[in-house]
Amino acid sequence: MALLQSPSLCFGGAALNSRHSSASFRPGNLKPSPLSSPPRASSPRKAAPAVGGGSSEADGSSLVVCFGEMLIDFVPTINGLSLADAPAFKKAPGGAPANVAVGIARLGGTSAFVGKVGEDEFGYMLAEILKENNVNNQGLRFDPGARTALAFVTLRSDGEREFMFYRNPSADMLLQEDELDLELIKKAKIFHYGSISLITEPCKSAHIAAAKAAKEAGVVLSYDPNLRLPLWSSAESAREGILSIWNLADIIKISEEEISFLTQGEDPYDDAVVRKLYHPNLKLLLVTEGPDGCRYYTKEFSGRVKGLKVDAIDTTGAGDAFVAGVLSQLARDLSLLQNEEKLRDALKFANACGALTVMERGAIPALPTSEAVANAVLKIVA
């Protein structure tokens, strides 16, 4: 089948779009950078040593570096109400790449986060959350001139979400290429990112430079587009932006809705449609189907792994928990990509990660431990 394409510029055999659109969204080491002044001397949150999987000298043999946004989600305490009618909100740390980094660490893996937050109370809080969850934070930067991004999340009665973002601009949009910790990125086993960091400059250029450095160092690239249409200037710019780096990734995770969006309305359950999105260098394409589980596609095999049925309270972060589950397994053993039986076991584990996460409000607070996931998987088998 023909591969979806968009105008692009190339490096390392991969296609990258040279255009950029307006509007965007969120992210952040406690290490000062050209656009970040040190935290206040009186603050207990000032320049902390890198943490996560052990420290700044984290073993690259299993390190997963996540690049992009970190923000604060405000989640209604009661489902089924509009933002205006919600009586109160629970403050929860979030941002898809940060969720994945924390999810991997909570599952016992080694992870790091690269991005930017505001030099404000929320930014300091997020830096501490990374540290508390044993995520290496040496790639986090602070911006003194922009606030940490906020997102208000409306929860429908079924736990599904709608978003309203506060960013004008937010600090994550202002991460610059010269603020990147390229040594950290190049020693990763897997480099994971989304598409939100592609929406505006200078973060778009930083994203492309980070991905280029990782690719040239032989790092496996993982991509979850995490479509958030309100952050893009138009649907077309979102489609072009997401596809502009499509051919760079070794692993891609998408949802049914994203397949329909990227193929402009084609059936996401049709394998022929999904295969249109499978580029020649791709090693694994994953399609998440919420409580129904996931589908997987490689060059050699494909199939479906059923999900775990639970009562959903808040689906925020479920896809990120799934990605964390998959990447935590792949970081230990990349041969899963060639062994269908082992891959299916890893996907059962990842499905359980996603299911457990929807049983609590907020993304990072709800991410499960490896013990909780192992118990859930046993119930699936039983």
Side-chain angles (χ1 to χ4, degrees):
M1 302 296 292
L3 181 70
L4 293 180
Q5 297 179 337
S6 65
S8 59
L9 76 99
C10 297
F11 63 76
L16 290 176
N17 194 290
S18 60
R19 297 172 56 190
H20 71 274
S21 56
S22 60
S24 146
F25 159 115
R26 46 219 193 208
N29 176 317
L30 297 173
K31 174 167 104 175
S33 67
L35 271 188
S36 62
S37 56
R40 295 157 296 185
S42 60
S43 171
R45 296 161 291 226
K46 63 184 178 181
V51 298
S55 68
S56 60
E57 63 257 32
D59 183 1
S61 65
S62 62
L63 174 65
V64 181
V65 174
C66 301
F67 175 94
E69 66 276 6
M70 190 172 192
L71 66 154
I72 305 291
D73 287 325
F74 286 90
V75 185
T77 55
I78 298 176
N79 290 10
L81 298 178
S82 68
L83 290 176
D85 292 333
F89 296 84
K90 176 183 177 181
K91 178 183 64 179
N99 293 343
V100 173
V102 172
I104 289 168
R106 204 165 284 175
L107 292 169
T110 305
S111 65
F113 177 75
V114 174
K116 200 171 197 181
V117 294
E119 190 183 333
D120 51 39
E121 289 302 313
F122 284 145
Y124 295 136
M125 184 192 89
L126 293 175
E128 284 297 316
I129 285 168
L130 291 176
K131 184 178 179 181
E132 290 165 4
N133 283 278
N134 206 31
V135 175
N136 183 312
N137 64 8
Q138 74 182 68
L140 183 67
R141 302 289 181 261
F142 289 96
D143 194 299
R147 296 297 190 187
T148 301
L150 309 179
F152 284 81
V153 187
T154 302
L155 298 177
R156 302 198 307 250
S157 57
D158 61 359
E160 286 298 328
R161 308 140 306 149
E162 295 174 355
F163 294 88
M164 182 167 70
F165 299 96
Y166 282 77
R167 42 188 310 285
N168 189 37
S170 53
D172 60 288
M173 301 163 62
L174 303 178
L175 181 68
Q176 298 191 34
E177 183 177 344
D178 62 7
E179 295 179 295
L180 294 172
D181 189 331
L182 293 178
E183 291 308 308
L184 174 66
I185 291 168
K186 289 189 286 188
K187 71 181 178 184
K189 187 167 191 177
I190 300 173
F191 181 65
H192 175 74
Y193 49 86
S195 68
I196 288 168
S197 46
L198 293 170
I199 299 175
T200 57
E201 294 288 5
C203 189
K204 178 181 177 180
S205 291
H207 179 141
I208 292 172
K212 177 180 179 181
K215 192 73 171 179
E216 291 177 346
V219 179
V220 172
L221 302 191
S222 167
Y223 183 26
D224 176 3
N226 193 34
L227 176 65
R228 294 289 181 265
L229 265 180
L231 298 177
W232 295 84
S233 59
S234 68
E236 185 55 35
S237 67
R239 191 175 294 109
E240 288 185 7
I242 288 170
L243 291 174
S244 70
I245 61 167
W246 197 262
N247 293 351
L248 183 63
D250 299 295
I251 300 164
I252 296 175
K253 172 260 171 188
I254 46 175
S255 67
E256 305 151 280
E257 296 83 2
E258 287 164 343
I259 292 174
S260 294
F261 175 77
L262 293 174
T263 60
Q264 302 191 61
E266 294 192 53
D267 183 2
Y269 301 100
D270 184 341
D271 281 353
V273 171
V274 177
R275 284 288 181 182
K276 290 181 181 180
L277 295 168
Y278 199 99
H279 69 75
N281 297 317
L282 193 60
K283 296 180 175 66
L284 177 63
L285 177 63
L286 296 169
V287 180
T288 52
E289 300 180 338
D292 295 326
C294 67
R295 282 175 280 160
Y296 59 90
Y297 301 82
T298 72
K299 289 185 177 71
E300 292 79 24
F301 49 77
S302 62
R304 173 180 270 104
V305 177
K306 70 176 182 179
L308 177 64
K309 304 289 185 180
V310 298
D311 293 326
I313 294 175
D314 176 11
T315 59
T316 305
D320 304 326
F322 172 87
V323 172
V326 172
L327 297 185
S328 70
Q329 302 299 300
L330 285 171
R332 294 186 178 100
D333 184 8
L334 281 174
S335 72
L336 295 176
L337 296 170
Q338 288 82 44
N339 186 314
E340 186 171 11
E341 183 179 354
K342 289 166 70 175
L343 178 62
R344 289 182 63 86
D345 286 341
L347 295 176
K348 289 175 187 175
F349 181 88
N351 282 341
C353 290
L356 292 174
T357 300
V358 307
M359 298 172 68
E360 184 179 337
R361 295 184 193 277
I364 286 177
L367 293 168
T369 62
S370 56
E371 181 180 6
V373 177
N375 290 335
V377 170
L378 287 176
K379 292 178 183 177
I380 296 175
V381 174

